[in-house]
Amino acid sequence: MTEATSTRSPGWRVGRLAGAPVYIGRSWFLVAGVIILVFGPVVQGTLPELGPWAYAVAGLFAILLLISVLVHEAAHAFMGQACGYSVNRVVADFWGGHTAYDSRDSTPGRSALVAIAGPLANGALALLGWLWLSQSQSGIGFLLAAGFTYANAFVAAFNLLPGLPLDGGFLVDSLVWKLTGSRGQGMIAAGWAGRLMVLAVAWWLIGRPLLAGGEPSLTSIVWLVLLGGFLWFGASEAIKVGHARRSLEAVRVKDYLTQVTTVPADAPLSHLPPPAGQLVLGTDAGGRPLGILDPAALRTVPQELWESTTIASVLQHLPASWVVTGTPADDLTNVVVAMQTDKLAMIAVRGADGMVHGVVRAQDL
């Protein structure tokens, strides 16, 4: 679930969670309308004395479902933050919701923890709903409690199905990743599991009634088109990304590494090394690269001012994310993910010991 932050707002911003903005997607209001239209007649049939107010009760049920979605995504966000991920946004939308976070330093264990957090949160809500249901014998409270309980129990169980893009698919991904050492292989396996899951749903909703001599209901067909289409698309995207990751895992950083010269950014320009065809990086007091020397900016500084002008003033400063911890023997995955996530033209590769090994440039890839 890692996504680069989009410049376009995903919906109506309603607050912050785990330091990230929370949005209600525009498509959620379509879902709310469908819930009101479907659940309203059920409420009216059960409590006819409510009359038109039955649709208001259905609206309350839609709000309860929205809260359930936000709690599910909040669990992902808080667990992701606990695992050291940077959470970008939380969105409730047509397909339920999603949490976008930067997981470039993920491990199989962390990925599994973040994935399982959402269904566990819905399981906890289902338990609270059951307690609420036990205290409600009839009326509006009973209907809302029953709907809230069963909906959260269904969401918890459904999300644990073993195929991407569901949370259970990320558990499969993590398991295969742990066993093979390849995140790409994990995504491919979990993606195929997701496709098989769609075929199983198609068999249950369409194939089984046909073999029994009957006809599938219109509701079953609609569910298959919407739900099956969503799952198949997500699974196919996971397989595509998995193959791309496997390609990156076969290439070493050293194959695309450009050597650099590092100099303290607070040193005067007179301390610049003589031109040697290498890129020059300015570093802070801890040796972390701050940016790359900008020759055009350097040419604007008269030679007589070099002693009083710092190297930092002629650097093309780059965000902190341009530095990736690694070695020349690592594969290119983390480098390319960092490039794509923050739309960077180059990445500095720095070892855990603080040594800057060089940079990888997008143009070379």
Side-chain angles (χ1 to χ4, degrees), residues 28-253:
W28 180 83
F29 295 97
L30 174 62
V31 176
V34 171
I35 290 173
I36 291 171
L37 290 175
V38 171
F39 195 56
V42 175
V43 177
Q44 204 167 41
T46 307
L47 301 172
E49 65 274 14
L50 289 178
W53 286 103
Y55 289 88
V57 174
L60 288 176
F61 179 61
I63 292 174
L64 286 175
L65 288 184
L66 174 62
I67 292 172
S68 299
V69 168
L70 292 176
V71 169
H72 177 103
E73 299 305 329
H76 285 313
F78 284 124
M79 183 58 74
Q81 193 177 58
C83 289
Y85 301 163
S86 174
V87 181
N88 296 328
R89 63 179 176 273
V90 175
V91 183
D93 56 19
F94 182 84
W95 298 112
H98 67 269
T99 300
Y101 51 87
D102 183 351
S103 61
R104 70 188 68 179
D105 294 324
S106 185
T107 64
R110 292 176 187 172
S111 180
L113 285 173
V114 174
I116 197 67
L120 287 179
N122 287 116
L125 289 179
L127 178 59
L128 289 176
W130 181 78
L131 294 174
W132 177 18
L133 188 60
S134 65
Q135 301 300 315
S136 304
Q137 302 301 319
S138 61
I140 295 174
F142 178 82
L143 280 178
L144 291 177
F148 180 78
T149 302
Y150 296 134
N152 275 284
F154 172 78
V155 169
F158 181 73
N159 267 283
L160 286 174
L161 291 176
L164 286 175
L166 300 176
D167 293 324
F170 284 98
L171 297 179
V172 174
D173 170 25
S174 297
L175 176 61
V176 176
W177 180 9
K178 179 68 174 179
L179 294 176
T180 65
S182 169
R183 178 70 190 275
Q185 191 62 48
M187 295 188 75
I188 293 171
W192 275 105
R195 284 181 170 180
L196 291 174
M197 193 169 57
V198 174
L199 295 177
V201 172
W203 161 258
W204 182 261
L205 294 177
I206 306 296
R208 194 173 53 93
L210 288 175
L211 285 180
E215 292 184 359
S217 67
L218 179 60
T219 302
S220 296
I221 295 173
V222 171
W223 268 108
L224 180 61
V225 171
L226 290 177
L227 190 59
F230 164 69
L231 294 175
W232 188 274
F233 176 79
S236 299
E237 284 296 300
I239 293 171
K240 184 169 70 173
V241 173
H243 282 297
R245 278 184 171 269
R246 282 188 62 186
S247 298
L248 291 175
E249 290 166 357
V251 183
R252 302 298 101 184
V253 168

